[in-house]
Amino acid sequence: AVVSTQSTGGVDTSSPAVQTTNNVHTDNMFKLPQFYALGTSLVVIASGGLGLIGVAKPLMSEVFGGTLPNIVTAAFASSFILMLSVGNLSGRLAWAAISDKIGRPLTFHIFTFGSIAIYASLPTIIQQVVQNQSVASLGAFCGLSVFAISIFGGVYSLLPAYESDLFGPKYVGANHGKMLLFSSTAALLGPSTFLYLRSASEKAAITDLLSKVDASCFEAKFGSPMSMADSLIEAKTVTVAKLMEIAPAGTMDPTPFLYDTSFYSIAAAITIGAVTHSMIRPVNPKWYEKVEELESKPIDK
């Protein structure tokens, strides 16, 4: 026989032994592996999105400005930021509609595996732009970046509904508030990680250029022997651009590739998020709120 739950306030009465609801009380959220698995996916995807947004304008000018100076102007960089904003907004709307059709778990699989492919492919696309002065590849970079940011927006749009699916709708407000702790982590990690890895790549590029530059040319350019290079680097006197001025003919400018490590690292981090999300299973019923607990614990409104 089918038991109706309408008269029991959503309480599952199919079991005569223990009556439960399909809601996990917010006090138990930190005890659930599903909470951390979903939160990990949020951290890595949001870190990538926030990092990309944070460096969008300098990235565009540094990576493509020297290769396509007539196209990648300051106005173009500003338009790129606007495109990312449109991607964020449209992603919140479009992915929510898509998830209603195909389900939240499958949509999050698209988020994770799609983001891995996007971030891992961006360095190759950058190389195509630099080597071939390809406007089509520049368009591909912009399009994929916008798509990545649409995923970033979609994650935030879907989270409350996904949490309701996993943990029940009763405490979704309080549970979502705890999930946003992962969002705060992403806000700290994303931009700082991009900048740190870019700085590390710049130092590695300078070290490589120093190995190719003639010592006498270095001293004539900077007024100090090459043994003083470290202090000059710290003072921002020695830069990639200035070393390229005295580098041997045929030396490739490493500036467009300074963000490659950032993109590969984000792709690797999202791979971890994809694995953890793939491990999400329905919550063990033992964590569902029991009927006798309903009057002893406040209802989240």
Side-chain angles (χ1 to χ4, degrees):
V2 177
V3 179
S4 173
T5 61
Q6 292 180 348
S7 61
T8 60
V11 176
D12 180 7
T13 59
S14 59
S15 173
V18 179
Q19 295 181 342
T20 66
T21 70
N22 291 329
N23 300 295
V24 178
H25 194 275
T26 188
D27 290 347
N28 293 322
M29 286 296 289
F30 291 134
K31 303 174 184 178
L32 301 179
Q34 291 87 347
F35 174 75
Y36 296 100
L38 184 59
T40 300
S41 300
L42 169 61
V43 166
V44 294
I45 294 176
S47 292
L50 290 168
L52 181 56
I53 292 172
V55 302
K57 192 167 186 177
L59 180 150
M60 186 57 61
S61 59
E62 289 177 353
V63 173
F64 303 113
T67 303
L68 299 170
N70 295 328
I71 297 175
V72 183
T73 61
F76 184 92
S78 298
S79 298
F80 177 62
I81 296 175
L82 179 60
M83 286 189 291
L84 295 182
S85 300
V86 172
N88 184 9
L89 176 60
S90 60
R92 292 172 187 264
L93 300 175
W95 286 115
I98 292 172
S99 72
D100 288 340
K101 299 293 184 181
I102 66 175
R104 255 72 71 175
L106 179 55
T107 305
F108 256 73
H109 283 312
I110 295 174
F111 287 169
T112 53
F113 290 106
S115 294
I116 293 169
I118 290 172
Y119 287 109
S121 67
L122 290 181
T124 301
I125 294 174
I126 291 172
Q127 187 174 25
Q128 291 297 317
V129 176
V130 173
Q131 290 181 348
N132 306 320
Q133 289 77 49
S134 172
V135 177
S137 295
L138 174 62
F141 179 91
C142 294
L144 287 175
S145 297
V146 171
F147 189 73
I149 297 303
S150 80
I151 289 176
F152 163 76
V155 166
Y156 283 97
S157 177
L158 264 62
L159 263 182
Y162 201 173
E163 293 159 9
S164 179
D165 293 343
L166 285 172
F167 312 120
K170 183 177 178 182
Y171 302 102
V172 67
N175 292 342
H176 183 62
K178 292 186 175 181
M179 186 63 69
L180 290 181
L181 292 172
F182 292 100
S183 179
S184 300
T185 302
L188 295 174
L189 287 179
S192 60
T193 298
F194 261 79
L195 293 175
Y196 173 79
L197 293 175
R198 188 244 179 240
S199 178
S201 296
E202 182 181 30
K203 290 179 180 179
I206 289 175
T207 300
D208 181 62
L209 288 174
L210 285 173
S211 68
K212 300 175 181 179
V213 169
D214 182 77
S216 59
C217 293
F218 181 92
E219 187 168 355
K221 174 70 175 179
F222 299 103
S224 299
M226 194 172 289
S227 59
M228 298 292 293
D230 289 342
S231 60
L232 295 175
I233 292 171
E234 290 295 327
K236 303 296 183 182
T237 301
V238 173
T239 63
V240 171
K242 291 180 179 179
L243 286 175
M244 285 300 300
E245 295 175 3
I246 58 174
T251 302
M252 179 174 287
D253 185 356
T255 302
F257 311 107
L258 294 181
Y259 292 93
D260 286 6
T261 303
S262 299
F263 290 132
Y264 286 132
S265 298
I266 290 296
I270 296 177
T271 300
I272 298 174
V275 172
T276 59
H277 180 260
S278 298
M279 298 170 63
I280 293 179
R281 298 293 182 268
V283 173
N284 190 320
K286 74 177 183 178
W287 296 111
Y288 290 155
E289 190 175 46
K290 308 299 187 297
V291 172
E292 58 268 22
E293 296 174 340
L294 292 178
E295 295 183 358
S296 62
K297 290 184 178 180
I299 298 177
D300 176 47
K301 297 181 178 181

